[in-house]
Amino acid sequence: MSMLTPPGMGGKYRITGDKYPRMRRPSGRRRIVLAAVTALAALGLIGWGTLQLIDVFTGGEASAAGAAKGAAKAGDCAGRPERKAAPPLPEPRRITVNVLNATPRGGLAKETADELKKRGFTIDKVANAPKAYDKKVKGPGLVLGPRSAADTALPVLAAQLAGAEQRTDARAGATVDLIIGDRFKALAGQRDAARALAALATSRTASSKPSSADGKHC
């Protein structure tokens, strides 16, 4: 019996010979395979993330810009709000004016009404201003009328008095008021008034045309 044989054991359990059995470590092949798979997965994730970043900072941005540009070209006319042409300025003879004096100086309303009549305006009332405006108009005058006259009769009448304020109210009808204020001296000269009307007409025409940035007409 060999010295390596435990007491009481013999037969098939007996160890014979003079060599010790070698106890081998378990194979590391599985760990190597797992490490390789993990490394490949990590590299794949890194590569995918890199492609996403490149797409965001280059291709994605270019694609979005191209899509936006295409949409802008396709929707130039559909997306752009239409510019409404400004209504034509009425001739003075088509504007009916009440001339009202809000100052303590007498005779201003009649003198002003006579001058406006010479310039072609139709005169209705010539009187003192109502209590709501009497001695409360601090500037040269106030041109007052309905909302429908805001872009038509009011600016034409205001061109006759430099520094006149323009205001609308809820009145019915088309008649407008020229309320003479504390700083009133006289109506603008006819040449000055004509130049003011010409400048107004030019600005309205320019504002109704599309700018160069608008591109082609729809």
Side-chain angles (χ1 to χ4, degrees):
M1 181 181 298
S2 169
M3 294 178 64
L4 297 177
T5 304
M9 297 184 64
K12 62 179 180 178
Y13 299 105
R14 185 174 59 182
I15 298 175
T16 60
D18 56 358
K19 294 183 178 181
Y20 295 96
R22 294 184 178 180
M23 305 297 290
R24 294 182 179 179
R25 293 183 178 180
S27 175
R29 184 177 298 172
R30 182 179 299 176
R31 286 185 296 172
I32 294 173
V33 171
L34 288 176
V37 171
T38 303
L40 288 174
L43 288 174
L45 287 174
I46 292 172
W48 181 82
T50 303
L51 289 175
Q52 293 299 312
L53 289 175
I54 293 173
D55 182 65
V56 168
F57 289 107
T58 57
E61 185 176 349
S63 299
K69 187 175 181 180
K73 287 183 178 179
D76 272 348
C77 296
R80 185 191 310 146
E82 283 188 26
R83 291 190 177 190
K84 294 183 179 180
L89 294 173
E91 298 177 5
R93 64 186 179 87
R94 298 185 179 278
I95 302 174
T96 301
V97 184
N98 297 322
V99 183
L100 309 173
N101 187 3
T103 77
R105 293 177 285 167
L108 288 182
K110 185 178 185 309
E111 292 174 8
T112 304
D114 290 344
E115 181 60 30
L116 287 175
K117 189 174 182 179
K118 290 178 184 178
R119 299 183 185 189
F121 290 89
T122 301
I123 304 302
D124 188 8
K125 295 179 182 178
V126 179
N128 292 326
K131 187 176 180 180
Y133 297 100
D134 189 28
K135 300 180 181 63
K136 296 178 182 178
V137 179
K138 303 303 180 184
L142 170 64
V143 176
L144 186 65
R147 293 186 181 90
S148 59
D151 291 329
T152 54
L154 291 187
V156 173
L157 182 56
Q160 310 302 314
L161 178 58
E165 179 186 357
Q166 299 180 50
R167 196 183 303 172
T168 61
D169 57 18
R171 73 179 64 189
T175 302
V176 297
D177 300 338
L178 173 57
I179 304 176
I180 299 171
D182 292 342
R183 296 182 182 177
F184 177 85
K185 293 181 180 179
L187 293 176
Q190 291 193 38
R191 289 185 179 180
D192 293 335
R195 280 195 290 265
L197 282 175
L200 177 62
T202 301
S203 66
R204 288 158 69 91
T205 302
S207 65
S208 65
K209 290 181 179 179
S211 66
S212 58
D214 288 339
K216 295 186 290 185
H217 294 283
C218 297

